Every structure is written in C-alpha cells, then in structure tokens.
Amino acid sequence: MYPAQVGYYKPDSVNEALDFLEGNEAKVLAGGQSLIPMLKLRILKPRYLVDIGDLGELSFIREGETTSIGATTRHRELASRKIPGLEIIQETASKVGDIQVRNMGTVGGSLSNADPSADYPALFTALDATMVIRSRRGTREVKAGEFFKGAFTTALEPSEVLEQVKVKAFKGYRQTYKKLVRRAGDYALVGLALLLKMEAGEVKDVRIAFTGGKG
C-alpha cells in the first residue's frame, strides 16, 4: 500500500521545527524506520512530515555520571560505543533491526513511536531513564515509566519533540539485553532488559523490563 499524499518540511533548527509543529497537523520524521511503515499502512495520515533527521544539535552522546543521548543519534552510533556503567545500551543497539535500520534509525524515533515490540522502550524503562521533551514553551522531563502510555502512545503532545534521553550510570551492575526473533532483523517476539547488582552473594537491586508481543 502507498501512503496518502503528505507535505514535507525540513527545518534548519529545532526551533523552526517547533514553530511549524505548533500550527500544523504534522508528524516528526527522524530516521523514518518506524514512521514510514505506518504511513504506508495508512495507520497515520498527517498533513505534513517535519524532517529533523539531519539536525546536528539533536545528535550527541555526552558521557558522565548522567549520560545524555540526543534524539537523532543513530542506532549505529550507540552500537559502536561502550559507555562505562551503561554497557547494556551498546548491547541493545547492536541488536536493533539489521544494518540498514541501524544506519538510518534514531533513538528518538524509536522511543517516540513506542512500538510494544521495539527494543528501546524496555531498555530505557529498565534504566529508569529521563525523557527531555521540548516545545516552544520550554522543556519538561518525564520518566520512562510515565512516558510510555501504551502501544504506540507516549506523553508527547502534537507540538512537542523528544530532545534527548538522560540515563544515570549503573556501575557495578551485571547488565544484559536478550531477545528472541523469528528472523534476523525482526522485532522481538520477546525481549528482556536486565540489570542486577550483587553484594556478598545477595541481590541488592534488580531492574527488569520486557518487550515483545508480535506473532
């Protein structure tokens, strides 16, 4: 199926994108790996697409006790970078889709789409990440557990964009992300993000989040 006719706008800055979103029925396009299939199926029928995929101000990885990841950061960038205390991010990113998806897809695009079988919602929920949301009125922060409202539904308003994700380091934790797929590159039939802290043979803290559900 072909998508319905849609207008296209490519801003030069995040502020320009926010100005356009404020007065138009539009969806934000970053890497397109989540959005384009939904347009083809006509699940979404926006009047305009606002392409922020090349906005460098949203593409970054800033390490520290709290690591910040910009919304247009590509999966391949996370897959090639080991962040101390957050090794699970590299492991998860390396398992997203196939090489084409990892080259084009973005962190913010996947999170904003909130597919219940995607990898990042489970990952960043287990990490208790903070989503930084931006609009013309400023920024606000929402914890991952409150950001995801349900299948394909988030706390984002139509005039807002996900600017970045902030995650605190989990040093001393065992970390892993496992997923079961039908074919290489598929969404997860089931996936598990796990962080475990042990001291003297006792479990001191455990964080678990699941993904999956597509047959």
Side-chain angles (χ1 to χ4, degrees):
M1 184 180 295
Y2 291 99
Q5 186 173 356
V6 61
Y8 176 82
Y9 177 64
K10 190 175 180 68
D12 292 323
S13 68
V14 177
N15 284 336
E16 283 189 14
L18 294 173
D19 286 342
F20 191 89
L21 288 171
E22 192 71 28
N24 293 282
E25 183 185 336
K27 294 291 291 185
V28 174
L29 172 69
Q33 303 305 293
S34 300
L35 180 60
I36 297 301
M38 297 185 77
L39 293 175
K40 286 184 175 180
L41 294 172
R42 301 200 179 192
I43 296 172
L44 297 175
K45 297 180 181 180
R47 292 188 62 190
Y48 297 96
L49 296 179
V50 181
D51 187 353
I52 66 169
D54 292 330
L55 294 182
E57 61 186 295
L58 294 180
S59 180
F60 56 82
I61 303 172
R62 299 169 184 157
E63 295 184 32
E65 284 302 311
T66 296
T67 292
S68 299
I69 303 169
T72 62
T73 303
R74 310 286 173 175
H75 306 315
R76 70 169 184 272
E77 297 174 58
L78 288 177
S80 63
R81 186 152 171 177
K82 186 175 182 179
I83 304 173
L86 291 169
E87 294 82 4
I88 191 174
I89 294 180
Q90 181 186 41
E91 181 183 6
T92 305
S94 68
K95 295 176 180 178
V96 172
D98 53 28
I99 190 169
Q100 291 90 347
V101 170
R102 291 192 293 274
N103 282 339
M104 291 295 297
T106 65
V107 175
S110 177
L111 292 172
S112 299
N113 188 52
D115 190 307
S117 293
D119 303 295
Y120 287 159
L123 168 69
F124 288 107
T125 298
L127 290 171
D128 194 30
T130 297
M131 310 298 178
V132 181
I133 297 170
R134 182 169 164 183
S135 71
R136 288 175 59 185
R137 296 174 295 281
T139 60
R140 62 188 181 99
E141 297 187 353
V142 179
K143 285 291 188 179
E146 299 173 354
F147 179 79
F148 301 107
K149 298 296 186 181
F152 304 104
T153 306
T154 71
L156 284 169
E157 298 294 333
S159 60
E160 295 178 321
V161 298
L162 179 61
E163 179 184 73
Q164 61 179 288
V165 183
K166 298 194 297 187
V167 192
K168 292 184 178 180
F170 284 82
K171 295 180 179 178
Y173 281 71
R174 301 178 187 178
Q175 306 179 19
T176 189
Y177 179 75
K178 303 294 184 183
K179 64 188 287 190
L180 176 65
V181 297
R182 180 169 295 171
R183 296 176 299 271
D186 279 359
Y187 279 99
L189 293 174
V190 63
L192 166 69
L194 171 66
L195 294 97
L196 177 68
K197 187 173 185 178
M198 301 282 294
E199 291 181 6
E202 294 185 2
V203 175
K204 293 298 183 180
D205 189 26
V206 61
R207 297 162 182 267
I208 302 173
F210 291 93
T211 188
K214 288 187 176 181

